[in-house]
Amino acid sequence: DSGVTQTPKHLITATGQRVTLRCSPRSGDLSVYWYQQSLDQGLQFLIQYYNGEERAKGNILERFSAQQFPDLHSELNLSSLELGDSALYFCASSEGGTLPDEQFFGPGTRLTVL
Amino acid sequence: AQTVTQSQPEMSVQEAETVTLSCTYDTSESNYYLFWYKQPPSRQMILVIRQEAYKQQNATENRFSVNFQKAAKSFSLKISDSQLGDTAMYFCAFGLGAQKLVFGQGTRLTINP
C-alpha cells in the first residue's frame, strides 16, 4: 500500500459525458502528479500540482482540467469524453522538496468510455 | 526534452534464470534519476530500483540490480534467480527530481515454471 488513494476504482460512462477522478496523496506529500496510461502503453504525464498551485503541464487536453485543494487532495476533471479517453489514470504524490523526490503511485482509476 | 526507449516489447525466461531488460534514454541534463517500475496484472505501479546519475556505483536491491552506463545513456535491469511473481510489465523512467517522470513503453516479462 503506497498510501495514495484514488476513487473510484472503475468508471464506465458514455461519450460526451464529464467525470471527476479523485486523489488523496500520502500524508505530508505536497506534490501531486496525474498520469494517463492507455492500453499496454507507458504512462504519459498530464499535470503536476504543488501545494495547491499548478507546477507543470504535459500534453493535457483542453477538455481535461485539474486542481489541488487546501487539504492537498486533487481532482482531475475530464469532459466531453471520447472513446480514446478510455485509459488507466494514475495519481502519484511526493514530498515535493527533498531530492530525488520519489513518487508514490495510487492504484489508478480505470475509465471506460462507451 | 527527455526520451526513454525500451527496445524489448516482450521477454520470456524460465524460473530461476537471470534476465536483463534494456533501457536507453536521451537527455542533456547531468543530474537526474533513473527508475525501474514493475506493473503486475493488478496494474499497481511498484518501484523496483532507483539510480542517482551522480553515483557511479550501480544500485542493487536483493535480486534486482542495474547496469548504469552514463556515457552511453544506458540503464539496464538485471533480475537474478527469477521467480513466478516477477511476471509483470517493467517500465524504465527518467526523472529530474520534483518533476514529472518520463516513462518508456515497457517490457512485458513472463517467467515460466
Side-chain angles (χ1 to χ4, degrees), chain A residues 35 37 40-41 103 110, chain B residues 39 43 99 101 105 108:
Chain A
Y35 294 89
Q37 185 182 29
D40 285 342
Q41 298 291 309
Q103 293 183 25
R110 180 173 295 284
Chain B
Q39 188 178 43
R43 307 308 293 267
Q99 298 183 34
L101 293 175
Q105 291 299 94
R108 183 181 302 279

Side-chain angles (χ1 to χ4, degrees), chain A residues 1 12-13 18 22 29 42 47-48 50 52 64 73-74 83-84 103 105 109:
Chain A
D1 185 357
I12 301 175
T13 188
R18 172 190 169 96
R22 182 187 170 104
D29 284 357
I47 198 164
Q48 177 196 3
Y50 176 79
F64 295 3
H73 91 271
S74 178
L83 296 177
Q103 293 183 25
F105 283 81
T109 292

Side-chain angles (χ1 to χ4, degrees), chain A residues 38-105:
Chain A
S38 299
L39 187 62
D40 285 342
Q41 298 291 309
L43 279 69
Q44 299 294 320
F45 169 71
L46 295 177
I47 198 164
Q48 177 196 3
Y49 278 83
Y50 176 79
N51 203 20
E53 300 289 327
E54 182 185 302
R55 174 169 271 188
K57 250 183 179 177
N59 293 327
I60 187 168
L61 299 172
E62 284 193 15
R63 300 184 286 108
F64 295 3
S65 65
Q67 54 184 328
Q68 187 179 27
F69 294 87
D71 66 353
L72 301 178
H73 91 271
S74 178
E75 293 182 356
L76 179 67
N77 301 295
L78 314 178
S79 61
S80 302
L81 285 168
E82 302 175 359
L83 296 177
D85 298 327
S86 294
L88 192 55
Y89 290 84
F90 283 103
C91 167
S93 76
S94 70
E95 290 181 358
T98 305
L99 297 180
D101 201 44
E102 180 179 337
Q103 293 183 25
F104 295 84
F105 283 81

Side-chain angles (χ1 to χ4, degrees), chain B residues 6-107:
Chain B
Q6 294 180 247
S7 59
Q8 305 150 312
E10 293 190 30
M11 296 188 72
S12 178
V13 299
Q14 297 298 121
E15 193 176 7
E17 289 184 347
T18 294
V19 60
T20 299
L21 309 183
S22 301
C23 172
T24 58
Y25 59 94
D26 190 26
T27 184
S28 58
E29 303 286 341
S30 57
N31 294 319
Y32 50 86
Y33 305 88
L34 296 163
F35 307 85
W36 279 98
Y37 281 88
K38 170 185 177 181
Q39 188 178 43
S42 66
R43 307 308 293 267
Q44 177 73 47
M45 294 294 288
I46 302 166
L47 180 64
V48 174
I49 200 165
R50 177 181 73 207
Q51 175 78 43
E52 287 89 339
Y54 64 86
K55 290 186 178 179
Q56 292 187 335
Q57 187 171 6
N58 289 323
T60 300
E61 288 287 343
N62 300 312
R63 297 182 296 109
F64 299 86
S65 61
V66 299
N67 184 2
F68 173 49
Q69 301 290 326
K70 192 172 184 179
K73 295 181 182 174
S74 170
F75 182 60
S76 61
L77 174 69
K78 185 172 84 171
I79 305 175
S80 304
D81 186 27
S82 57
Q83 300 175 359
L84 297 178
D86 295 332
T87 292
M89 283 287 285
Y90 286 81
F91 292 98
C92 179
F94 173 99
L96 290 172
Q99 298 183 34
K100 68 177 183 182
L101 293 175
V102 177
F103 287 86
Q105 291 299 94
T107 296

